[in-house]
Structure formats: C-alpha cells, structure tokens
Amino acid sequence: MDESIMCPRFQKAMGMMSQRWTGLVIYQLLSGPKRFCALESSIGLSGRVLSERLKDLENLGIVKRVVFPETPVRIEYSLTEKGLALEPIVKEIEKWSQTWVPVESDSL
C-alpha cells in the first residue's frame, strides 16, 4: 500500500474541521448547550455564517438543534455524542496553542 495516499476518511474529517469557524463553534458547545445569540457573541462572527456552520454541523450529526415550544420560541444548540467525541482533539489543539501560538495574530 502506498503510504503517500491519504485515507479518504481522514481527508473528509480534515476538510470538515478546517472550515472557517467550525472548530470555534464546537469548542464553545463543549461547555454545554447554547442559544444562537450566545454563540454569536462569544465567537464574534456574523449571524449568517454562524447559521451556515450550525446547519453544516447539524447535517453531519455533530450538533443537534432543540426547539422549546415557549413564547417566544427558544432554540438551543448542543453537541451530539459524535460531536462530544471531538473533545479530546479540540482540547489537545487548545493545549498545543498555549505553547506554540503567539498572542499577536500577525505572527501566525
């Protein structure tokens, strides 16, 4: 087997995780369910982009959306079992960043 050929599953996973803002959405949801406005303000991205990311992650089975039939309607987003399985990976990236990524954004 040629080791230079990457596993298609690995390529697909890396493509999903490298999509802009995806990792930060998952990171925020690791602490528990959040409403849209809480995610929007904690990450600091536009509502349109956040909505796209949440839909993508929901379609992948990583995020679940729960609608509470209240007035006004309350919607919360949380990680599924599949999404929670990403926690060790996200925490390792966080740990790595503390050592190797400078605070100044222009030094990346």
Side-chain angles (χ1 to χ4, degrees):
M1 182 173 167
D2 185 357
E3 291 184 24
S4 66
I5 298 173
M6 274 196 260
C7 169
R9 289 181 179 182
F10 178 76
Q11 285 181 312
K12 191 172 182 177
M14 289 302 291
M16 183 261 313
M17 286 303 290
S18 66
Q19 196 171 22
R20 190 164 186 171
W21 306 110
T22 295
L24 293 177
V25 170
I26 292 168
Y27 180 80
Q28 288 298 314
L29 290 174
L30 283 172
S31 61
K34 302 257 184 316
R35 294 178 73 177
F36 187 90
C37 58
L39 285 168
E40 190 176 24
S41 64
S42 66
I43 300 171
L45 72 159
S46 75
R48 182 186 61 79
V49 174
L50 177 57
S51 180
E52 287 175 10
R53 288 303 157 267
L54 288 168
K55 284 178 187 169
D56 291 344
L57 291 168
E58 191 177 0
N59 288 336
L60 291 167
I62 293 171
V63 167
K64 67 179 171 184
R65 179 181 186 261
V66 178
V67 179
F68 295 90
E70 303 169 347
T71 305
V73 172
R74 180 170 51 105
I75 301 171
E76 285 185 349
Y77 296 89
S78 61
L79 294 174
T80 62
E81 181 180 354
K82 183 177 178 180
L84 288 169
L86 291 166
E87 183 172 17
I89 297 161
V90 173
K91 293 296 184 179
E92 280 300 312
I93 292 171
E94 179 183 35
K95 191 168 106 180
W96 176 85
S97 73
Q98 297 301 314
T99 303
W100 297 103
V101 178
V103 175
E104 307 85 285
S105 62
D106 60 347
S107 298
L108 298 175

